Every structure is written in C-alpha cells, then in structure tokens.
Amino acid sequence: MPRMLPSAQEAAAILAARRPRPPPRPPRHAARGLAVAMKALEAKFGRGPQDLKTRWREIVGETLAARSEPVKLIKSRTGGATLELRVAGPVAALVQHQAPLILDRLNMYLGPGAVARLRIAQGPLSRPAAKATPRRRNRPPLDAAAEQALADSLAEARDGPLKAALLRLGREVMRDRRP
C-alpha cells in the first residue's frame, strides 16, 4: 500500500509545529587559550628579543636603530637582564657612550629594572644599513630659445647615442648657468 505524502499546507503545519535543532556552535578560538599561556610565560620570563627588534627604532631612535640591533636578552638570577647588541663597526663607541640613555629607554619600555647592562658585540647586522640616497632636484626644463640654440649647435653631429649624450650634457650645463 503506497504511503500518501502530505499536502503543502500539511507540510507547512508540521514544520511550524517542530522546533528545529539549533546549529552547532563553532569551536573556541585557540588564541583565547594561547593568550592566557603567553601572559603567564611573559610574566615569568619577560618579553623576548623579537619584541625588542620590532620596536627597536622607537626605543633608541633612527640613528642608532640603523646601525645596531638587539641579539638576545640574557636573564640574570641576581638582578636585571643583560641585553646583547650587535653593532656595525665603529658605532660601538657611540653606543657605549649612550649606554645609560639606552638603558633608561629600555627600562621605560620593558619595566623598571628589566635591563641592567648592555653587552656590545661588533659585527655585521642581519639587515643592511639604510643608506641615505641623495635626492635629485627636479629642475625646470630649458626654455625654447635655449633648447633651439643647443639643437642648432649639435645639428652637424650624426644621430645616435653620442648625440643624445651631448644633448643631455648640454641641457645640464645650460641649466646650471641660468640665474
């Protein structure tokens, strides 16, 4: 005997009377549990040198940050930690001279008494030092009369790379002579 299917109205009544099962909740984020563990580790061991590397430019300033980098933070059983700095060449004298200021700034960032000493090691930095590139001034082009005079003076030269180089040189020389 075939089973009779409910009509559309009966199906709507059946579905309205039933409470559907709620969708399953998503799992908790792993970061919630990880944050608790990280806070406990930070309280026990302090911040690591990676945190210092990311904020080094803010702590010591542009000039010292370009020529130095924190390598490791060595904890001491008796007092504050020792920060080992890698310094590029002769900047070590400058860093040694500014050690009290650097220690004050580090302790302001990490907490009072966190770093007691600096150990300075000369060596190559892991990233190349930022070189200051001289900026070229954008000078206005020559006026039409000066450009025509330059083109007339080079009219007898053959077309090619030599003529193009002479045109560029002539333009630069004439720009420098303008008042």
Side-chain angles (χ1 to χ4, degrees):
M1 173 160 186
R3 184 170 174 211
M4 296 295 294
L5 294 175
S7 66
Q9 295 165 346
E10 293 172 344
I14 292 171
L15 289 176
R18 279 186 159 182
R19 282 191 56 179
R21 185 180 296 173
R25 291 183 180 170
R28 291 178 62 184
H29 289 285
R32 292 180 84 182
L34 187 63
V36 173
M38 291 302 291
K39 283 183 182 179
L41 287 173
E42 186 177 310
K44 184 175 181 181
F45 298 107
R47 295 179 180 167
Q50 286 301 95
D51 187 41
L52 285 177
K53 283 183 183 179
T54 57
R55 302 286 185 165
W56 190 243
R57 191 169 301 280
E58 297 169 13
I59 294 171
V60 297
E62 294 287 329
T63 24
L64 282 178
R67 293 171 178 84
S68 65
E69 66 183 3
V71 176
K72 60 183 170 181
L73 198 58
I74 305 163
K75 294 290 181 177
S76 173
R77 294 182 187 188
T78 58
T82 302
L83 177 67
E84 182 174 327
L85 287 178
R86 183 173 296 134
V87 181
V91 181
L94 177 66
V95 171
Q96 188 173 5
H97 179 69
Q98 292 187 354
L101 177 66
I102 294 171
L103 286 173
D104 286 344
R105 288 182 174 197
L106 281 168
N107 287 327
M108 187 170 40
Y109 178 70
L110 295 173
V115 180
R117 288 180 302 281
L118 288 180
R119 182 190 305 173
I120 301 168
Q122 289 182 341
L125 301 179
S126 62
R127 57 178 168 33
K131 294 181 180 176
T133 57
R135 293 176 41 135
R136 294 186 67 186
R137 294 183 305 176
N138 290 335
R139 293 184 281 184
L142 291 176
D143 58 350
E147 186 74 34
Q148 185 62 40
L150 180 63
D152 290 343
S153 66
L154 291 173
E156 295 179 12
R158 290 189 317 208
D159 287 338
L162 180 61
K163 185 174 181 178
L166 287 173
L167 276 171
R168 283 193 309 270
L169 177 64
R171 284 186 190 114
E172 292 300 319
V173 169
M174 291 176 87
R175 280 184 192 143
D176 287 342
R177 288 187 182 169
R178 283 197 304 188

